[in-house]
Amino acid sequence: MALPFLLAFSATTIAQAQDLKIALITGKTGVLESYAKETETGFMMGLEYLTGGKMEINGRKLKVIIKDDQSKPDIARTLLAEAYGDDKVDLAVGTTSSGAALAMLPVAAEYKKILLVEPAVADAITGDKWNRYIFRTSRNSMQDGLAAASTIKGGGSIAFLTQDNAFGRDAVKAAKESLTMVGSKANVAHEEYAAPNTTDFTAAAQRIFEALKNKPEPRVLQIVWAGPNPMSKLAEMKPERFGIALAPGGNILPIMKTWKAYAGTQGTIFYYYDFPKNKMNDWLVAEHNKRYKAPPDMFTAGGFSAASAVYTALSKAKSSDTEKLITAMEGMEFDTPKGKMNFRKEDHQALQVMYHFKIKKEQKNEWDLLELVREIPVTDIPVPVKNKR
């Protein structure tokens, strides 16, 4: 009678020793390539830090399977199905493009496996397109909008310049709703949607300037752009002639480095390496500087945060079973380079601080770019629940 028991015990032992497999899907080719590479770097550094270099959780080795969806929805959908079905991953993380991420959501529901969204921001991901297998560590468009709106509570006039895609339209919709939510008296004078690959902004700028120039002051042009940012090109057209101030959303360091001539310009951002003060961020900044001769960027921190969520969930659940992970992750608090985050139970969106910045006048080195005006706490970012749970 001992033999069946021993066989069962051996099978259990083998199962426990199996690798934990995670798919990391990003848009490593195309316009968002730099975002994807930063996400991958941050994700792998996060797992390294959290596991003390062992790359294992609960005695099981971590295996990360990296896939490139080229920021194309059809490819993203296919790769996620392949990861769940053929690769037998325990969960997946991704992706860079909001359009691609939205295409992946039904696949997670079909396979009943967790998809942790990072860094896509479209509100619909944790809104009307959400399902119970979706969690998100990246901020969403409403968090961006509310952070920006918290800096423009007075009157005046606002115009928006963004991309004509899911990201851009979602961002402007969220920004307008955010202004109402914070009680801003500012009036939205114009919305300009440009093709994502636009390089000549002359016509767009003329329409924006014409719409704003005679409106009540202060006059603000908010720029919401993924990829190479047009702020410098707009600044060259001298919007100050019409009393118009530019308000850029934060961007990656190589782009913000080109903004040095615009000292004093203010905006909001979800991460800048010098703002958070905690042990995890200290390690990330020091180690990234050592390895890459530059500080970590926004999406590096995002990838690290996703790794922390994965590590915390698997450690807490002591299992890779999807239902046990969902139970562990709903309401779960976890450390990130930005500080504490937690997954809201209602829609699995990670609640997190944001930052109000000013471009520095005196910059000590090529990466000394931003001055912190204020850390915007979660209490000032009342993201509405928009899913249909």
Side-chain angles (χ1 to χ4, degrees), residues 19-23 57-58 60 62 84 88-93 108 111-116 130-136 306-334 343-345 348 389:
D19 290 345
L20 284 166
K21 292 198 283 189
I22 302 164
I57 301 175
N58 297 331
R60 296 171 64 182
L62 289 170
Y84 290 144
K88 307 295 182 188
V89 300
D90 295 289
L91 57 89
V93 178
Y111 282 88
K112 294 180 169 56
K113 290 281 189 179
I114 286 173
L115 171 62
L116 178 63
W130 176 87
N131 63 68
R132 66 190 297 267
Y133 302 98
I134 307 305
F135 288 79
R136 173 158 56 184
S308 182
V310 168
Y311 174 84
T312 305
L314 288 166
S315 299
K316 183 179 177 183
K318 294 183 169 36
S319 171
S320 56
D321 175 76
T322 298
E323 292 303 318
K324 290 180 180 177
L325 285 172
I326 291 174
T327 299
M329 293 173 77
E330 288 191 335
M332 183 181 81
E333 185 176 79
F334 53 101
F343 287 126
R344 184 165 56 182
K345 187 173 182 178
H348 301 173
R389 184 162 188 162

Side-chain angles (χ1 to χ4, degrees), residues 122-315:
D123 281 334
I125 293 168
T126 44
D128 62 346
K129 303 298 183 186
W130 176 87
N131 63 68
R132 66 190 297 267
Y133 302 98
I134 307 305
F135 288 79
R136 173 158 56 184
T137 46
S138 60
R139 91 288 185 199
N140 62 21
S141 293
M142 277 302 300
Q143 286 167 310
D144 278 344
L146 285 162
S150 74
T151 71
I152 315 172
K153 289 187 176 181
S157 308
I158 299 176
F160 296 99
L161 170 64
T162 191
Q163 290 153 310
D164 191 5
N165 57 18
F167 162 77
R169 291 192 173 272
D170 208 58
V172 171
K173 180 182 176 183
K176 290 162 65 179
E177 185 177 344
S178 297
L179 288 169
T180 300
M181 288 178 64
V182 302
S184 173
K185 295 180 176 61
N187 174 62
V188 176
H190 186 73
E191 300 169 30
E192 185 73 27
Y193 298 92
N197 60 351
T198 299
T199 55
D200 184 354
F201 291 90
T202 305
Q206 288 174 345
R207 286 190 291 270
I208 294 167
F209 295 168
E210 187 65 28
L212 272 179
K213 66 181 184 181
N214 294 319
K215 294 294 189 295
E217 295 182 318
R219 302 174 188 132
V220 177
L221 169 55
Q222 280 202 2
I223 305 165
V224 186
W225 204 269
N229 192 287
M231 192 182 93
S232 295
K233 292 183 178 180
L234 290 163
E236 289 169 2
M237 298 179 207
K238 302 190 181 303
E240 64 274 14
R241 291 177 295 150
F242 308 106
I244 298 170
L246 300 180
N251 213 301
I252 56 175
L253 293 171
I255 289 175
M256 292 197 298
K257 190 167 67 168
T258 68
W259 297 353
K260 289 186 176 183
Y262 314 115
T265 298
Q266 298 187 38
T268 52
I269 194 168
F270 74 89
Y271 174 84
Y272 175 69
Y273 71 93
D274 194 44
F275 290 169
K277 305 300 179 186
N278 60 69
K279 183 179 178 182
M280 185 176 281
N281 193 58
D282 290 347
W283 181 89
L284 174 59
V285 172
E287 198 62 30
H288 198 279
N289 271 314
K290 188 190 331 183
R291 298 181 190 186
Y292 302 103
K293 311 305 179 190
D297 217 331
M298 296 196 302
F299 297 102
T300 320
F304 201 115
S305 297
S308 182
V310 168
Y311 174 84
T312 305
L314 288 166
S315 299

Side-chain angles (χ1 to χ4, degrees), residues 3 10 65 70-71 73 104 140 238:
L3 187 57
S10 298
I65 301 170
Q70 302 172 44
S71 292
M104 295 164 71
N140 62 21
K238 302 190 181 303

